[in-house]
């Protein structure tokens, strides 16, 4: 039987998951507490910055307010070959943070307000960290000051906006007709918005708990040691370890980088919160996959945005 790339990927994923489960069973005392720490990280640092904005944005969409707000921007966004929906989607994404932007994009697709081609163009643009996460969780709690959070948030938004607009300019012009029609009226908009926000927030918590635990397993068994060894000449061993952990779960990685300190601590944290790490990327892809946005395209785009954010923060630090 010939093994295709898809089959090999599934076999590798199954083997990895089985090994992960075996490790958890073999060392319950270690990883039960780690799993609990992951839940605490979500409850303390992510949930407060995600849930309220998720409710607000879903209500705006279901009431049709977001679609109405898009109409004045039709001509301006046409210059960048974007649909009118890009304006409210981007604003709601910026205020809500991961994975709300992708969740909102999926909501627009379900309502027929944008098509799959438009979703592909908007996916990188509607993928940003939220202000409460950047300023509060990473800026104040991790790095100990508002200044770091402001730099992180500004660099993330600039890198996402700049790269997305440049990409859009080199693609075909998006249709605008279906992007500004009225939303489907729903008598249960309030219940639907809260239900969707609670569900999305709980799913985010599950992802964070899972990948936070996985990052600790990876660290305990030195799985990322080749990557740490390769990055150590550039950033030093401790920063390389923090970055490697963040590639799995970004929030924990940012705290590890902040604890280490050094010139590259903040730029690397900026890379993580812009790229997202496996936890945030998979959360977004769960929604974007329904819009037929390819994972390879989205992950590569997020990596480029992360590199731009890293470069911007290096410049900010020099100034």
């Amino acid at each position: 039987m010939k093994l295709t790339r898809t089959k090999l990927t599934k076999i590798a994923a199954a083997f990895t998951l089985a090994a992960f489960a075996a490790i958890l069973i073999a060392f319950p005392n270690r990883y039960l507490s780690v799993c609990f720490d992951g839940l605490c990280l979500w409850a303390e640092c992510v949930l407060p910055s995600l849930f309220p904005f998720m409710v607000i944005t879903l209500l705006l969409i279901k009431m049709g307010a977001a679609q109405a707000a898009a109409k004045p921007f039709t001509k301006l966004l046409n210059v960048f070959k974007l649909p009118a929906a890009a304006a409210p989607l981007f604003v709601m994404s910026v205020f809500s943070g991961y994975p709300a932007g992708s969740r909102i994009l999926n909501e627009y697709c379900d309502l027929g307000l944008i098509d799959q081609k438009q979703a592909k163009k908007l996916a990188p643009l509607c993928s940003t960290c939220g202000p409460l996460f950047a300023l509060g969780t990473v800026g104040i709690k991790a790095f100990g000051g508002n200044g770091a959070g402001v730099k992180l948030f500004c660099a993330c938004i600039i890198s996402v906006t700049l790269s997305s607009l440049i990409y859009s300019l080199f693609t075909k012009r998006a249709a605008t007709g279906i992007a500004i029609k009225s939303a489907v009226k729903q008598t249960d908009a309030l219940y639907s918005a809260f239900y969707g926000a609670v569900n999305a927030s709980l799913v985010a918590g599950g992802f964070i708990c899972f990948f936070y635990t996985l990052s600790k397993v990876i660290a305990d068994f030195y799985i990322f040691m080749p990557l740490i060894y390769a990055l150590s000449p550039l950033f030093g061993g401790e920063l390389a370890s923090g970055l490697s952990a963040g590639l799995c779960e970004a929030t924990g990685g940012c705290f590890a980088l902040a604890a280490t300190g050094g010139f590259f601590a903040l730029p690397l944290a900026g890379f993580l919160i812009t790229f997202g790490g496996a936890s945030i990327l998979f959360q977004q892809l769960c929604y974007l996959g329904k819009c037929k946005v390819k994972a390879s395209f989205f992950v590569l785009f997020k990596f480029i945005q992360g590199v731009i954010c890293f470069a911007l923060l290096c410049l900010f630090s020099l100034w």
Side-chain angles (χ1 to χ4, degrees):
M1 182 180 67
K2 185 178 180 180
L3 293 177
T4 63
R5 180 181 297 181
T6 302
K7 290 181 179 179
L8 287 173
T9 301
K10 289 182 178 180
I11 292 172
F15 176 80
T16 302
L17 290 172
F20 183 35
I23 291 171
L24 297 182
I25 295 171
F27 304 97
N29 292 335
R30 161 64 174 159
Y31 295 112
L32 282 176
S33 60
V34 168
C35 185
F36 181 75
D37 290 340
L39 286 175
C40 291
L41 183 68
W42 165 73
E44 182 179 358
C45 299
V46 178
L47 182 61
S49 64
L50 176 64
F51 179 73
F53 290 106
M54 184 77 78
V55 173
I56 293 169
T57 54
L58 288 176
L59 278 173
L60 289 173
I61 293 172
K62 293 181 183 300
M63 292 188 303
Q67 293 73 261
K71 293 182 180 181
F73 297 95
T74 303
K75 291 183 179 180
L76 175 62
L77 290 170
N78 195 40
V79 175
F80 295 99
K81 302 180 181 179
L82 288 168
L89 279 169
F90 175 69
V91 172
M92 289 188 289
S93 174
V94 168
F95 278 98
S96 302
Y98 306 120
S102 299
R103 172 71 175 82
I104 297 165
L105 195 64
N106 178 58
E107 188 77 16
Y108 264 57
C109 285
D110 286 344
L111 291 173
L113 299 171
I114 58 173
D115 59 22
Q116 293 176 5
K117 291 182 179 180
Q118 292 171 329
K120 180 181 178 180
K121 296 187 73 170
L122 293 174
L125 180 65
C126 301
S127 175
T128 66
C129 68
L132 290 182
F133 177 76
L135 301 175
T137 301
V138 182
I140 296 176
K141 290 188 176 182
F143 283 90
N146 286 324
V150 171
K151 290 179 181 178
L152 281 168
F153 185 64
C154 290
C156 176
I157 300 304
I158 292 171
S159 62
V160 168
T161 306
L162 184 64
S163 59
S164 299
L165 291 180
I166 292 174
Y167 165 74
S168 183
L169 286 172
F170 286 92
T171 58
K172 293 183 179 179
R173 190 175 302 278
T176 58
I178 64 170
I180 58 176
K181 69 181 183 180
S182 298
V184 178
K185 292 184 179 180
Q186 299 185 28
T187 56
D188 63 340
L190 185 62
Y191 170 80
S192 180
F194 270 87
Y195 180 82
V198 169
N199 186 55
S201 298
L202 289 175
V203 170
F207 270 97
I208 291 171
C209 179
F210 180 89
F211 282 97
Y212 182 83
T213 306
L214 179 61
S215 69
K216 296 301 181 182
V217 170
I218 289 173
D220 290 345
F221 286 84
Y222 305 102
I223 296 172
F224 274 171
M225 189 55 66
L227 178 61
I228 295 172
Y229 181 79
L231 294 174
S232 292
L234 296 174
F235 307 117
E238 292 185 344
L239 283 177
S241 297
L243 175 62
S244 299
L247 292 176
C248 190
E249 201 290 305
T251 307
C254 287
F255 275 89
L257 290 169
T260 300
F263 176 82
F264 288 111
L266 190 65
L268 288 174
F271 170 82
L272 287 179
I273 68 170
T274 305
F275 176 61
S279 176
I280 294 174
L281 286 171
F282 275 110
Q283 288 179 59
Q284 295 177 93
L285 288 171
C286 285
Y287 298 115
L288 296 178
K290 299 176 183 178
C291 304
K292 307 300 181 184
V293 177
K294 290 185 178 180
S296 56
F297 162 79
F298 184 70
V299 173
L300 177 60
F301 211 117
K302 292 303 299 177
F303 180 81
I304 294 172
Q305 290 177 342
V307 172
I308 295 173
C309 185
F310 172 84
L312 287 173
L313 284 167
C314 287
L315 292 175
F316 291 168
S317 298
L318 289 175
W319 292 340

